[in-house]
Amino acid sequence: MKKVFGLLTICLLFSNMGWAQEGRIPAKGFAVDSKEGHFHPYEFTRHAVGDNDVLIEILYAGICHSDLHSVWSEHGESRYPMVPGHEIVGRVIQTGNNVTKFKVGDYAGVGCMVNSCGHCASCEADMEQACEEGSVYTYGFPDRFHENEITMGGYSDRIVVSEDFVLKVSADADMKRVAPLLCAGITTWSPIHFSNVKKGDKVGVAGFGGLGHMAVQYAVQMGAEVTVFDITEEKRKDASRMGASRYVNVTNPKELKGLNNSLDFIISTIPADYSPLMYVNMLKKGGEMAIVGLPGNSNLNIASMAFVAPNRKVYGSFIGGIKETQEMLDYSIAHNIYPEVEIISANGKEIDKAYQNVLDGKVKFRYVIDMSTMNNK
Ligand code: NDP
Ligand code: ZN
């Protein structure tokens, strides 16, 4: 009996050592367990800090409308438990042996992706978001580089990411407002640049929320004349404060008059069911429309004659590559272009409430969770 007990102790000791040697990182955050679920404190572990990885203490995490779509399984069944969050800024607290880009104490950002193959044509072209073998998304996604463990996002105290997918954030940035740049910033910056928006262009921004208000700021900065489209009166003044020259409340048919064939470029960030045709018809001949909004459980219908004969280009755009994200971050910080944020504390009830407010159009313009206030630390 004594012998068996001794053997058991040794086995337990070894398995514990194995755990410790494996070096998994304990983490705490907020998860939901189902699409009807509420956010609750959640403890888990992250993969060990590999030679090319950095460990980041998360300071702030933004709440993107994509998080709502994912939590509520609006694009097919999501994986639970889920710790969302792909707008992350924090401080590096540990670096792997081969890391050269960061040192302990540096500020760092993480967006929607944490890995990709690194060698396909897309990755070689700095378009990791279109990796031919599939990008690894920041949460709710199997990480093939780490035994297919499901990734957990930024509503948490720390994260381990390969340095290639971590963005440098200059120490003089306004940290409270940096996180949303990692998704809302790059997702709007990228098509605005792809379509070569320039001074004097007439630009439409459909959906004036987290993404939309970044699009307005970038387009205004480039000298474009911006028209904002939304469904509320509440944001009319904000649009002109941000430099837009016109605000259209699309629920008022009178305000839509005279807009056909008038715009060079439109970005649609609308997250709910709508008809893109109305916007396509507003493009000049040869004009371009980028669709970035991802309405859940719905298909967008556009009549082909609306864009084929007038040679209008309608395309989708998905975040941006790491190099482009770094350019966007550096530019935004240097030009003082930030999201407008409402800071909430790291608490399940607060996050639940924030989700409802985003759905109800009651946020101006992005909720950011202050992870340092987490009381289950
Ligand atoms: P928000 O909820 O912050 O903003 C959406 C805005 O659209 C709100 O101002 C809302 O109005 C407005 N809106 C809703 N319905 C209409 C309508 N019919 N016409 C005009 N405006 C409307 O969402 P985000 O900006 O965070 O995200 C927008 C979308 O972009 C989401 O679907 C998200 O998943 C997607 N996304 C896509 C990415 C990509 O890479 N392509 C990356 C990140 C997000 P109000 O608030 O007044 O109700
Ligand atoms: Zn997002």
Side-chain angles (χ1 to χ4, degrees), residues 226-243:
V226 179
T227 300
V228 169
F229 300 87
D230 204 288
I231 49 176
T232 173
E233 275 308 298
E234 305 293 312
K235 299 177 187 170
R236 192 177 285 276
K237 282 197 181 124
D238 301 297
S240 70
R241 180 170 49 78
M242 289 179 207

Side-chain angles (χ1 to χ4, degrees), residues 64-67 86-87 112 183-184 211 366:
C64 175
H65 204 117
S66 291
D67 299 345
H86 59 209
E87 295 184 336
C112 301
C183 174
L211 268 60
R366 197 54 136 198

